[in-house]
Amino acid sequence: MSSREKILQQIKLNKPTGTDLPLQYTFDSGYENTEAKFKEILEAIYTEVIVVDSLVELKAKVEEMYAGVVNKATTIPELADWADFSLQLSDPHELEMIEVAILQAEFGVAENGAVWISDNHLKHRALPFITQNLAFVIPRNALVNNMHEAYQRLTDTTGWGCFIAGPSKTADIEQSLVIGAHGARSMVIFLVEN
Amino acid sequence: MSKAVMEHADAADVFNKDESYVDWHDETLWFVRTKRDKSSKLLPEWENLRETASQIKNYVLSHMDELLETFEKNAKANGIHVHWAADAAEHNEIVLGILKQHHVDRMIKSKSMLTEECHMNEFLTRNGIEVIDTDLGERIVQLRNEPPSHIVLPAIHLKKKDIGDLFHEHLGTDAGATDPQYLTEAARQHLRDKFLTRKAALTGVNFAVAETGGFVVCTNEGNADMGAHLADVHIACMGFEKLVPLQAHLGVFLRLLARSATGQPVTTYSSHFKKPREGQEMHLVIVDNGRSAQLGRADFRNSLKCIRCGACMNTCPVYRRSGGHSYHNAVAGPIGSILAPNLDMTKNADLPFASTLCGSCSNVCPVKIDIHDQLYKWRQVLVQGGHVPQAKEIGVKAMSMVLSQPRFYQWSGRLGRSVMRTLPFMVNNSLNPWFKQREMPEPPKESFRDWYVRNRE
C-alpha cells in the first residue's frame, strides 16, 4: 500500500464524528471611514499613503519623490517614461538591480493595511520582494474594510497572489523592530482618485 | 541536538542559574503577550472569530480524508506535484529525491517547523546538501548549531551581544557591534547572495485550501517569497492538518494568526501560491508523522487544530521561565507538550508535567484548543503507561493515599506544621524543591479545618 493510501485509510479509521461548518464566518467592521482607517494602520507600519487626483498628478509626484534615483521600474503604462529599468526580461534574478518599483495593485484592506497584488498585475512574482523600495498604486475606491470583504472580492483564479502590508521587517534581534529584512526597505501607497 | 536529552525540570534548572537573564526572557515574552491582548481587544468580534475558527477546524478534523483528496486533486490540476509521506524519514527522502533529480546540492529554506520536527536539515547535510535558513532568527540559531527555541521567535532566547559575537565570527561584522539595525543589514546582504544563487527553495505552509488546491505562506521578512520566486524548484512541506475547506475561511484565520502571535494585524506578507510560475516546478509534501494516530486519540486530537501562532508559549509562566530548549522538542511550550507525547511517550513523558495547569494557554488559543486539560489528561495516560520516572510515580501515589484518607490527612497536616515549627531545617534545605528560590511560609497554628470546627457556631 502506498503512503497516500495508508495515511488516508488511517484518517478514515480515526477521524471523529462529523461536525458542520459554521454558517457564519464573516464579520462586519463598521469603520466610520474606511480610508482613514487604512491610512492610520499603514502609518503605524511605516507606510505613507498619498492621495492623487489623476495619473498625471501621480507622475508629477513620483518624479519629484524619486528625483535622482536610478533603476526605477513600473508596471503602470502612464509612468513608462519615468522608469529607466525595463521589465522586459526573462530571468527574475536580473531584477536585483531595481532601486524602486511602482506597481499597480488591485485593492487595499483597511483593518491591516494589506494590499492585494497578483499574477494579474505582475509578470515577475519576485518583483515586489526583490526591489529595494516599493510603491503600490490602487484606485481610491478600491478599499475594503476587513479580510472577510477582501476574500469576497478575491474571485480571481490566478496562479499566485499576495497580501502585502508595509515594508519588510523583523524583530528577531531582542524584539527590536528593524525595517528592511529581505524585502522592500520602504513602502508608499498611492490612492488614485480617477 | 546530539547532546543527551535533559529532562525539562533539569534543563529549566540550568536556564534559571542566571536570574537577570531569566527575568529578561520572562519580560520579553510577556511583552509580546500584552501586544496580543491589545490587538485582540480592538476587535469586538474577537471571541466570535475564535469560536468560528475552532468550528472550522473541528470540521476539518472530522472530514480530513475527503478534504485531503479534494485538495490533492485541485493542487494537481494547478500543476503542483503532490507527495505523501507517512513519517519523517519518508518526508526527508522525498525532499532529497527532488533535489537529486535536479542535481541541486544547495538549498534555501524559509521557516518550517515541520522540517524541524523531521530533523530534515541534519539529514540533508549528511547527504551532501547544504541548507541555509533564511528567516533571520532561524539563520541565527542555525549558525549556533541550535534548534529554534520558539516557533515564531526562533532566537528569542538570545541577547543582541550573543548575536553580535556570532555575526562577527561568521559574517565579519565589527567586533562588539550589537546594533540590531546594523546586524540585520549584515544578514540581509549575506542572505541576498544566497537567494540569488540557489536553485531550490523550501517553504513551510501556514494554510492549505481544499477548494483551490493552493497554499498560503506568511512571513514578515519576505524570505519565503524571495526564495520561492527566484528558485527553479519550490518545495512546500505541510502536516496534513494545515487544511481549511474554503478560501474565504482564510479571512478568519489570517485575522487571528498574526494578532495572536505578535499583536500585528496581519503579517507583512501573506502569499497565496496556487500554480508554479512559468518554467518553475512546484512540489508539495503532505506529511503524517503521527498525526493520523493523534487524530484517533479522542482526548488529544484537538491539538491538531493548532495554527502555530505561539500565543500559548508567550503566556505560559513555565515557558517564559524555562526557555524553549528545555522542552527538547521542535514545538516547545504548552502546545508542544501535548503534541510531543504522541510522537514518543517515553522520551517526552516529562513535558506534560512542565505546566502549572493555570489554563492561560487555553484562554489565549485562537482556535480554542483545551491545552491545559490535555496536559492534565496526558499525565494520567503517561503514569498509567509506566512512562513516568518511579520517583514521581511514588510521590503521586503517596499524595493520593494521603488525600483520600481524611484522618491520615489531618494527622499529616498537624505533623507537618509541628515539624516546620520545631525542626525548620527539615524543610528549609536544598533537598526540598519548594524551598528553591523561595522562603518557606510561617506554619499556621491550626489548619482551616480546626478553625472551622471551632468557629462553626
Side-chain angles (χ1 to χ4, degrees):
Chain A
M1 199 176 1
S2 73
S3 288
R4 179 187 183 278
E5 280 147 35
K6 218 164 65 187
I7 294 167
L8 288 172
Q9 194 189 54
Q10 180 136 1
I11 289 174
K12 267 191 197 92
L13 219 62
N14 284 351
K15 68 178 178 178
T17 325
T19 61
D20 293 330
L21 277 175
L23 293 175
Q24 192 203 347
Y25 51 84
T26 63
F27 300 90
D28 292 331
S29 304
Y31 301 133
E32 266 174 44
N33 182 330
T34 304
E35 187 178 305
K37 185 75 190 173
F38 184 67
K39 277 186 170 173
E40 173 202 322
I41 295 288
L42 280 162
E43 257 163 41
I45 50 177
Y46 306 89
T47 301
E48 195 183 355
V49 179
I50 301 171
V51 180
V52 291
D53 243 5
S54 63
L55 289 167
V56 176
E57 194 191 324
L58 172 72
K59 193 169 175 217
K61 186 81 197 164
V62 303
E63 271 169 355
E64 173 200 322
M65 281 175 72
Y66 302 104
V69 177
V70 288
N71 293 329
K72 303 172 297 223
T74 187
T75 56
I76 295 166
E78 286 80 357
L79 298 183
D81 57 336
W82 163 83
D84 60 359
F85 189 101
S86 165
L87 293 173
Q88 298 307 314
L89 41 85
S90 55
D91 181 2
H93 291 83
E94 292 172 37
L95 303 170
E96 210 263 321
M97 302 290 293
I98 296 177
E99 192 57 34
V100 57
I102 302 184
L103 308 176
Q104 181 69 49
E106 201 166 312
F107 65 92
V109 187
E111 73 158 317
N112 54 25
V115 169
W116 176 255
I117 186 160
S118 72
D119 281 350
N120 276 346
H121 304 277
L122 214 50
K123 187 164 167 257
H124 300 289
R125 293 177 185 177
L127 183 52
F129 309 94
I130 202 166
T131 178
Q132 297 288 338
N133 299 282
L134 177 61
F136 284 130
V137 177
I138 49 179
R140 193 174 182 186
N141 61 12
L143 296 180
V144 299
N145 283 311
N146 62 29
M147 292 302 279
H148 308 299
E149 291 177 26
Y151 281 105
Q152 276 157 19
R153 204 184 153 124
L154 249 191
T155 47
D156 72 62
T157 49
T158 54
W160 172 83
C162 192
F163 286 108
I164 300 184
S168 138
K169 59 177 180 272
T170 183
D172 274 342
I173 300 176
E174 268 196 31
Q175 281 295 291
S176 307
L177 181 67
V178 177
I179 301 297
H182 299 301
R185 297 174 188 272
S186 76
M187 164 95 106
V188 176
I189 293 172
F190 295 100
L191 298 178
V192 184
E193 182 78 58
N194 296 300
Chain B
M1 264 163 296
S2 51
K3 288 170 229 153
V5 176
M6 214 190 263
E7 283 215 4
H8 179 274
D10 299 328
D13 237 3
V14 176
F15 191 82
N16 273 271
K17 288 242 150 66
D18 180 347
E19 202 172 320
S20 66
Y21 168 72
V22 179
D23 287 346
W24 165 79
H25 188 266
D26 177 29
E27 283 158 19
T28 306
L29 285 153
W30 184 253
F31 174 64
V32 182
R33 153 76 208 262
T34 53
K35 286 198 292 185
R36 172 250 171 227
D37 289 351
K38 247 169 87 181
S39 179
S40 65
K41 288 191 170 74
L42 290 174
L43 298 188
E45 66 272 38
W46 183 256
E47 288 306 316
N48 280 333
L49 281 169
R50 287 179 71 214
E51 181 57 32
T52 309
S54 170
Q55 286 181 23
I56 295 172
K57 281 290 184 180
N58 284 337
Y59 177 90
V60 171
L61 294 190
S62 62
H63 296 80
M64 189 69 82
D65 49 336
E66 305 145 44
L67 289 169
L68 278 169
E69 284 175 295
T70 309
F71 174 68
E72 181 193 37
K73 190 179 82 184
N74 291 333
K76 280 182 166 172
N78 290 334
I80 303 178
H81 300 267
V82 180
H83 309 260
W84 298 73
D87 54 26
E90 190 176 7
H91 163 268
N92 294 344
E93 288 292 349
I94 290 169
V95 174
L96 180 64
I98 298 167
L99 296 174
K100 278 192 164 161
Q101 190 196 329
H102 289 270
H103 309 288
V104 167
D105 60 2
R106 301 186 305 172
M107 178 174 76
I108 44 170
K109 194 188 109 188
S110 69
K111 209 186 272 168
S112 154
M113 294 320 295
L114 176 68
T115 61
E116 292 292 331
E117 174 188 319
C118 295
H119 301 290
M120 183 197 74
N121 283 16
E122 295 93 314
F123 170 83
L124 290 179
T125 307
R126 278 201 306 277
N127 283 279
I129 310 277
E130 175 214 63
V131 183
I132 292 195
D133 284 314
T134 57
D135 172 82
L136 175 58
E138 287 213 315
R139 185 65 182 140
I140 290 166
V141 293
Q142 184 180 40
L143 288 172
R144 286 172 58 95
N145 280 317
E146 288 179 341
S149 70
H150 187 292
I151 57 176
V152 174
L153 318 162
I156 195 70
H157 59 294
L158 297 172
K159 307 273 272 190
K160 57 189 174 190
K161 184 182 175 306
D162 303 323
I163 297 163
D165 293 347
L166 183 78
F167 279 14
H168 174 61
E169 187 192 335
H170 292 275
L171 308 185
T173 52
D174 297 341
T178 57
D179 175 34
Q181 180 89 44
Y182 169 76
L183 296 174
T184 302
E185 181 62 29
R188 177 182 170 105
Q189 302 300 341
H190 158 72
L191 288 167
R192 195 156 262 248
D193 169 64
K194 314 294 181 227
F195 286 122
L196 290 167
T197 51
R198 301 307 190 256
K199 303 258 178 271
L202 187 143
T203 69
V205 170
N206 289 91
F207 304 99
V209 184
E211 176 191 30
T212 64
F215 57 92
V216 177
V217 183
C218 304
T219 72
N220 276 325
E221 298 183 8
N223 55 319
D225 286 278
M226 275 288 272
H229 302 320
L230 290 171
D232 299 336
V233 185
H234 175 189
I235 307 170
C237 301
M238 60 176 266
F240 68 60
E241 80 282 15
K242 295 285 174 185
L243 275 182
V244 298
L246 302 176
Q247 177 162 274
H249 289 148
L250 291 171
V252 175
F253 291 101
L254 288 186
R255 297 189 80 193
L256 287 166
L257 178 62
R259 286 184 174 95
S260 298
T262 61
Q264 296 168 246
V266 72
T267 48
T268 305
Y269 304 101
S270 310
S271 200
H272 295 50
F273 294 89
K274 215 160 79 182
K275 295 175 186 168
R277 69 168 199 275
E278 227 182 277
Q280 187 195 39
E281 217 174 276
M282 198 180 273
H283 293 265
L284 190 80
V285 191
I286 301 173
V287 182
D288 182 336
N289 202 36
R291 287 165 176 74
S292 59
Q294 185 90 323
L295 192 62
R297 300 181 205 274
D299 283 342
F300 305 115
R301 63 166 63 106
N302 276 350
S303 59
L304 295 172
K305 290 158 71 177
C306 176
I307 57 171
R308 302 291 192 269
C309 69
C312 61
M313 304 180 184
N314 305 339
T315 200
C316 177
V318 176
Y319 176 89
R320 284 188 275 118
R321 294 203 147 263
S322 60
H325 289 155
S326 311
Y327 293 80
H328 54 80
N329 188 54
V331 182
I335 183 68
S337 301
I338 59 176
L339 291 169
N342 177 57
L343 291 171
D344 186 333
M345 290 203 205
T346 306
K347 187 174 152 269
N348 299 315
D350 55 327
L351 296 184
F353 293 90
S355 164
T356 63
L357 302 182
C358 72
S360 185
C361 46
S362 307
N363 286 336
V364 297
C365 177
V367 290
K368 291 196 165 184
I369 302 171
D370 51 341
I371 305 176
H372 73 293
D373 289 334
Q374 292 194 33
L375 286 164
Y376 177 69
K377 286 174 186 165
W378 265 121
R379 294 181 184 184
Q380 334 286 311
V381 172
L382 292 166
V383 170
Q384 277 155 21
H387 299 286
V388 169
Q390 232 183 353
K392 185 171 267 164
E393 204 184 323
I394 290 170
V396 171
K397 282 195 173 138
M399 201 59 163
S400 134
M401 188 181 76
V402 174
L403 294 179
S404 60
Q405 301 181 64
R407 287 193 166 278
F408 189 48
Y409 173 74
Q410 284 163 38
W411 175 80
S412 346
R414 223 168 295 138
L415 180 69
R417 285 191 298 279
S418 75
V419 166
M420 280 173 83
R421 251 191 316 271
T422 54
L423 310 164
F425 59 87
M426 290 288 284
V427 288
N428 296 354
N429 67 62
S430 59
L431 294 174
N432 173 14
W434 290 101
F435 186 62
K436 266 194 280 183
Q437 293 163 328
R438 292 186 198 87
E439 301 286 318
M440 293 305 286
E442 282 285 308
K445 289 197 181 58
E446 58 183 352
S447 68
F448 171 73
R449 188 185 174 279
D450 293 343
W451 177 88
Y452 182 74
V453 169
R454 236 172 358 90
N455 290 285
R456 182 160 41 180
E457 302 308 314

